[in-house]
Amino acid sequence: MTVGNSTQPKLRVSGATKVYNTRSGDLLAIDRCSLDIMPGEIVSIVGPSGCGKTTLLWSMSGLHGLSAGQVLLDGKQITGPNPEIGMVFQEANLLPWRNLDSNIHFPFEIKGTKPDRVWIDELLNRVGMEGFGGRYPRELSGGMQQRAALVRALSYKPSVLLMDEPFGALDAFTREEMNRLVEEIWLDTHTTIVLITHSIEEAIFLSDRIVVMSPRPGRVANIHTVPFPRPRSLEIMSTKEVFDLTNAIKLEIVGTQQSRFAQGTPPAAKAAE
Ligand code: ADP
Ligand code: MG
């Protein structure tokens, strides 16, 4: 084993288990999930709907506690929200009565800290939104709102960015633009990124590794390494290797779903050979 900080995981999820106490009883959402995410890595989490992806990401962010297991950030247990961790959700969640600048400043106001305007302007510039600070959310397209949410999340200079289906509500073209934007930002900052997505193509385009979760209770079913060099061009993305990896992951997800649906039903008659 190599010694030294460079080999210490940025995030270590260890035996993460979460039970929700609901009115109809306890619901085991994730079960003993373990995963190391190295500094500067981009890791995607994919899996069937309801398998516990959001639950796992919230645990990583400190937004909610675990029933068992722990999450370590730089070796220290996460017990609550942490400025080192930025988050982007499917909805941009901008406050409609505040303009863009004032939305970006809002978390700083709550904390009573001073925003780094030079950095924020650099980010706005980077996402192509310079000069938009006075606009209100209703004046911005869905793609622009998500860019603003990305700027807000990065304005703290977090060392980890957690994103929960951040581009799921955008049209395919805008989504590809956003993927390229995230790649560009990553090439500049090497922020550690964990991304939940339903799009295997998006996961392959952005990630170093792709975690496939089983149906609920979510467990780490498989981890794929994505070997393609960056930046990932259209040429790379249209190779047979990418196609094969996409299909393999899709089959894994569909396969786990099928086995869930098959539970409790008699085994299908064996097809005649
Ligand atoms: P995913 O993001 O993969 O779709 P979630 O983590 O949102 O899955 O949910 C996993 C399971 O936990 C689902 O069955 C969901 O209904 C349940 N769940 C999620 N959040 C809560 C909550 N706050 N209270 C009770 N059950 C919840
Ligand atoms: Mg979710």
Side-chain angles (χ1 to χ4, degrees):
M1 198 179 156
T2 337
V3 192
N5 259 348
S6 61
T7 55
Q8 173 172 299
K10 186 76 201 168
L11 275 174
R12 165 162 282 179
V13 180
S14 151
T17 299
K18 175 80 179 173
V19 178
Y20 290 114
N21 308 114
T22 71
R23 256 184 265 164
S24 51
D26 286 352
L27 185 147
L28 179 60
I30 53 171
D31 186 23
R32 289 163 288 163
C33 289
S34 294
L35 178 67
D36 279 354
I37 293 156
M38 301 310 288
E41 231 192 343
I42 305 183
V43 173
S44 287
I45 300 176
V46 299
S49 234
C51 74
K53 301 181 293 294
T54 296
T55 300
L56 182 59
L57 203 77
W58 276 50
S59 312
M60 291 182 191
S61 72
L63 282 175
H64 66 193
L66 285 165
S67 311
Q70 57 177 6
V71 177
L72 305 178
L73 172 71
D74 292 320
K76 282 196 219 103
Q77 189 171 355
I78 293 182
T79 52
N82 189 313
E84 279 293 303
I85 299 176
M87 288 201 83
V88 179
F89 305 93
Q90 183 167 356
E91 303 295 330
N93 297 319
L94 300 172
L95 301 171
W97 59 88
R98 285 179 162 239
N99 68 21
L100 182 53
D101 274 341
S102 153
N103 259 289
I104 294 169
H105 292 169
F106 185 57
F108 292 91
E109 284 172 27
I110 289 185
K111 288 221 139 198
T113 54
K114 204 171 172 299
D116 180 345
R117 246 347 281 198
V118 175
W119 172 237
I120 290 170
D121 285 339
E122 206 177 307
L123 286 169
L124 284 171
N125 192 21
R126 155 65 81 206
V127 305
M129 288 188 75
E130 63 278 22
F132 280 75
R135 302 277 186 102
Y136 285 84
R138 65 175 178 277
E139 300 175 296
L140 304 173
S141 67
M144 281 186 164
Q145 292 197 23
Q146 275 316 71
R147 287 174 205 219
L150 198 56
V151 169
R152 186 181 50 191
L154 292 171
S155 62
Y156 267 104
K157 302 187 185 160
S159 57
V160 177
L161 183 62
L162 303 179
M163 300 203 277
D164 192 350
E165 298 187 38
F167 314 129
L170 303 179
D171 63 86
F173 180 72
T174 310
R175 184 175 193 144
E176 278 180 29
E177 256 182 11
M178 295 299 289
N179 287 341
R180 277 194 292 274
L181 182 63
V182 170
E183 185 186 49
E184 270 180 39
I185 290 174
W186 181 86
L187 287 167
D188 274 357
T189 60
H190 280 259
T191 307
T192 308
I193 299 177
V194 184
L195 165 82
I196 294 177
T197 178
H198 273 124
S199 161
I200 312 298
E201 288 78 4
E202 179 169 277
I204 294 180
F205 179 76
L206 284 173
S207 318
D208 296 294
R209 287 185 300 148
I210 300 175
V211 177
V212 181
M213 283 178 73
S214 70
R216 188 170 66 77
R219 299 191 177 105
V220 175
N222 201 2
I223 300 181
H224 294 266
T225 299
V226 185
F228 314 116
R230 288 200 177 95
R232 293 184 182 152
S233 61
L234 263 182
E235 287 75 43
I236 291 180
M237 290 307 290
S238 41
T239 56
K240 183 175 181 306
E241 285 77 8
V242 169
F243 181 79
D244 288 347
L245 181 57
T246 308
N247 278 339
I249 295 173
K250 279 185 184 164
L251 272 174
E252 270 172 35
I253 296 172
V254 174
T256 55
Q257 270 179 315
Q258 275 174 347
S259 60
R260 178 176 54 152
F261 294 142
Q263 271 171 18
T265 58
K270 202 166 179 256
E273 291 179 45

